[in-house]
Amino acid sequence: MTESEVANRMFPRAHADWPDHQLILLDASDAVVATSNAMPLAWDGTDAHLPESWDEQVLRSASDLDSRRTSTALGAMLIVVGRNQRGGGLSGVMLGAMHAAGRAAAYQAVIACVRPTEKHRYPLTPIERYAEWLRPDGLPFDPWIRLHVRLGGRIVRAAPHSMRIRGSVADWERWTGLSFPDSGPYIMPTATSPVTIDLDRDEGVYFDQNVWVVHDLS
């Protein structure tokens, strides 16, 4: 995930252009225990006008700012909780902080291209099907999607090509520690879908699979 060209280009802009939406959570000793990042964008409030992907979302934010279009929604980029603090509800705290920041800026919604936390366990299942999986209590199967729903989010649609990561075969071998002796799809640890290796083109392409969720702030 750290090899995304779009993410590596856009995160510095998030901090430079919208510092108020880059949040950190400190514990009693002032140690960082969680962070979140977001970029506002212009959205007309319809499902059809949602970006196609996480990549498109952050690129649209930058384009909207450069074109002086009025932002109407806060686009979630990332929430990270420290490894030793996971399971304590801090993800919900950070998502709530995004809601508060969005309301303070008079945005109509927080939109999130959510990366399902358990999708990597089912890399061959299409994200469209995975997004519809439910527990016996009727809530989403995936814990991260489930938390979004519990906090008022509405599942809109799958984003099968949410983030594209492309590199040479040598790049992918270095990034993953795997060998790719033949062209074709390969399953990787923690990846939501296989990476497709093409030896003739000396290229590997991976698409991270996400799910669009909208939090209405009105």
Side-chain angles (χ1 to χ4, degrees):
M1 303 299 293
T2 60
E3 305 301 334
S4 164
E5 183 272 332
V6 172
N8 289 334
R9 179 154 48 94
M10 289 296 106
F11 269 100
R13 283 210 59 172
H15 287 278
D17 294 329
W18 300 281
D20 290 348
H21 292 306
Q22 320 314 315
L23 309 178
I24 61 173
L25 181 64
L26 305 178
D27 66 12
S29 64
D30 287 340
V32 176
V33 294
T35 65
S36 69
N37 304 92
M39 299 167 69
L41 71 162
W43 177 54
D44 69 6
T46 66
D47 293 349
H49 193 237
L50 286 171
E52 289 297 317
S53 63
W54 187 96
D55 284 350
E56 183 185 328
Q57 172 195 312
V58 297
L59 291 171
R60 261 174 56 174
S61 289
S63 175
D64 288 345
L65 179 66
D66 294 342
S67 302
R68 301 184 182 276
R69 283 187 284 269
T70 301
S71 296
T72 59
L74 186 61
M77 299 174 71
L78 183 71
I79 291 177
V80 175
V81 175
R83 190 175 302 276
N84 294 333
Q85 287 78 30
R86 292 175 186 173
L90 297 186
S91 293
V93 171
M94 300 308 290
L95 185 53
M98 277 192 189
H99 286 187
R103 289 192 180 96
Y107 297 141
Q108 65 182 2
V110 171
I111 64 173
C113 206
V114 176
R115 187 178 198 266
T117 52
E118 294 298 304
K119 178 62 173 71
H120 69 98
R121 300 181 184 274
Y122 309 91
L124 301 182
T125 300
I127 188 63
E128 292 83 357
R129 287 173 53 196
Y130 183 87
E132 296 177 346
W133 287 0
L134 300 176
R135 300 193 313 179
D137 62 4
L139 289 171
F141 169 83
D142 186 83
W144 191 208
I145 298 176
R146 186 165 64 247
L147 179 61
H148 276 267
V149 170
R150 281 176 166 162
L151 295 180
R154 174 176 62 88
I155 299 173
V156 178
R157 63 169 179 263
H161 301 101
S162 184
M163 180 184 287
R164 185 182 70 171
I165 301 175
R166 182 169 57 184
S168 68
V169 175
D171 287 336
W172 280 102
E173 290 180 340
R174 185 175 71 256
W175 297 339
T176 64
L178 300 175
S179 296
F180 302 103
D182 199 359
S183 295
Y186 289 83
I187 294 173
M188 304 177 294
T190 75
T192 61
S193 63
V195 59
T196 300
I197 297 294
D198 188 326
L199 295 183
D200 292 336
R201 298 179 63 177
D202 187 27
E203 181 181 72
V205 179
Y206 166 73
F207 289 101
D208 204 52
Q209 299 189 341
N210 297 173
V211 177
W212 273 110
V213 178
V214 170
H215 294 259
D216 186 356
L217 300 181
S218 60

